Amino acid sequence: MIPTAIPAPEHSEWVLFETSAFSLSIKFYAIAIVIGIIVAYALTERRYVAKGATRDVTLSIALWAVIFGIIGGRLYHVITDYQLYFGPGRDPWRVFDLRGGGLGIWGAVALGGVGAWIGCRRNGARLLPFADALAPGLLIAQAIGRLGNYFNQELFGGPTALPWGLEVDAAHRPAGFPPDQLFHPTFLYESLWCLGGAVVLLLLEKRFHLVAGQLFAAYVIAYTLGRVWIENLRIDPAHLVAGLRLNVWTSLLVLLGGIIALFILRRAYLRDSSRDHVWLRARPEPETEGTGMSQNDAAAAGAAAVVPEKMETPGAARDSDAAAVASESDEGVGNRSVNG
């Protein structure tokens, strides 16, 4: 056995209580997911509050995103690996057992985005600034969560002779491989890729001022670039489409979408960067009851009504016209400040 190889884990769960009739334990996979969520939230809160949000708003949006993300991740896994839960000899109730693994990142991001959108709507916030605040922390959460695959001894790659190869015990080793065979630790590759990606995102954000959704689009590109080659190393059962694993095709499509989104968002930002820092949704001015007019317009109309008509000299008329033009200009500036 190669001394520098990554050893197989001795345990996959933490036993809290155990008797002959009952046991209570927590899977290390679940612990890794929870730690990843906590770290991602802590970083997102710090970044989002720096944009002007409050901690209460950040927590509210994050709760919606996490709940929907877990549901979406599980749905994607169950749909794409339905043979694990349905059919002869399978137990459909295992669909609800998250401790043993089975969260698809694509479903988690997609439905988590829906949850974040709901949270933003309920709190009067804009989605894209929150997504930008989340992006680096999301990559770090994925890096931590991948460590759970190590404890479950799952989703590893093909055989390798590299010194950092992964040992897999007999219960999890694929058939046809000798006992001393090492495998690519794809969980480690993806963890390191995600950590490096988080650093790159922070550097790009500072260098190019990636805001208004651009940083989240860059996250999509960074993650999918790594997922394409890492996915091709894995040997766990997967559905093939035109000779490629389904998740490879998904990664390629999402990568293309991320590139297009970054291009569109960057162009929009370069055309108008005046609202890149605004995290709240713009609200219309309140209307004066029964008039359909904003308060500014109603005040202006009322002021005009109390000015008595009088004869003016041509010079006075010119001065009055100039004052009116200046007043309208000032009012326009004020309205733009409120509505921007």
Side-chain angles (χ1 to χ4, degrees):
M1 188 67 62
I2 301 176
T4 54
I6 301 174
E10 296 183 2
H11 306 284
S12 63
E13 59 186 3
W14 179 22
V15 179
L16 302 177
F17 179 78
E18 185 175 20
T19 66
S20 58
F22 177 76
S23 66
L24 179 63
S25 63
I26 301 177
K27 291 281 189 178
F28 291 146
Y29 176 89
I31 294 175
I33 295 295
V34 171
I35 293 175
I37 291 173
I38 293 173
V39 171
Y41 172 75
L43 181 59
T44 301
E45 180 192 63
R46 181 176 180 179
R47 290 168 50 80
Y48 199 41
V49 168
K51 291 177 179 289
T54 64
R55 287 179 170 82
D56 289 342
V57 168
T58 308
L59 179 60
S60 175
I61 299 173
L63 286 175
W64 281 97
V66 169
I67 293 172
F68 273 68
I70 292 175
I71 295 173
R74 189 59 173 176
L75 283 175
Y76 181 89
H77 168 72
V78 171
I79 291 172
T80 55
D81 290 299
Y82 60 88
Q83 72 280 356
L84 300 177
Y85 306 96
F86 306 101
R90 300 297 183 180
D91 181 11
W93 289 106
R94 288 186 56 239
V95 166
F96 302 99
D97 182 14
L98 301 181
R99 299 183 309 156
L103 291 175
I105 183 61
W106 307 121
V109 172
L111 212 54
V114 173
W117 176 79
I118 294 174
C120 287
R121 293 285 297 180
R122 290 174 62 89
N123 288 278
R126 296 168 62 213
L127 179 61
L128 293 183
F130 177 80
D132 288 336
L134 170 66
L138 184 55
L139 275 176
I140 295 175
Q142 290 173 232
I144 298 173
R146 275 300 176 196
L147 298 179
N149 297 138
Y150 166 70
F151 292 103
N152 282 351
Q153 298 193 67
E154 61 184 0
L155 308 185
F156 45 82
T160 180
L162 294 171
W164 57 81
L166 175 67
E167 296 177 2
V168 178
D169 62 30
H172 299 86
R173 189 184 310 117
F177 291 101
D180 60 348
Q181 178 64 65
L182 301 179
F183 299 87
H184 279 289
T186 50
F187 76 91
L188 180 61
Y189 298 163
E190 188 163 331
S191 291
L192 294 176
W193 182 272
C194 288
L195 290 176
V199 174
V200 170
L201 285 188
L202 293 173
L203 294 175
L204 290 176
E205 180 183 40
K206 183 177 181 180
R207 173 65 177 82
F208 297 103
H209 195 54
L210 299 182
V211 293
Q214 298 173 70
L215 192 66
F216 191 82
Y219 149 78
V220 171
I221 296 171
Y223 177 69
T224 51
L225 280 174
R227 184 61 186 267
V228 167
W229 68 267
I230 294 172
E231 184 73 25
N232 274 316
L233 292 176
R234 285 167 40 174
I235 58 173
D236 53 291
H239 296 287
L240 299 179
V241 178
L244 292 178
R245 296 166 65 95
L246 176 60
N247 279 333
V248 172
W249 284 111
T250 304
S251 299
L252 291 172
L253 291 175
V254 176
L255 170 62
L256 179 60
I259 294 173
I260 294 173
L262 180 59
F263 176 76
I264 294 174
L265 292 169
R266 187 65 179 176
R267 285 193 61 186
Y269 166 72
L270 293 177
R271 286 199 304 266
D272 179 15
S273 61
S274 61
R275 295 181 57 185
D276 69 283
H277 63 287
V278 181
W279 68 275
L280 279 174
R281 292 204 312 267
R283 292 184 174 87
E285 296 178 11
E287 295 181 352
T288 302
E289 185 176 357
T291 64
M293 302 172 62
S294 71
Q295 289 180 350
N296 283 351
D297 292 341
V306 298
V307 176
E309 294 184 4
K310 59 180 180 179
M311 297 295 293
E312 296 179 339
T313 63
R318 285 194 299 271
D319 292 341
S320 176
D321 292 341
V325 169
S327 175
E328 291 174 359
S329 176
D330 291 341
E331 184 180 357
V333 172
N335 285 338
R336 285 195 297 274
S337 177
V338 172
N339 295 331

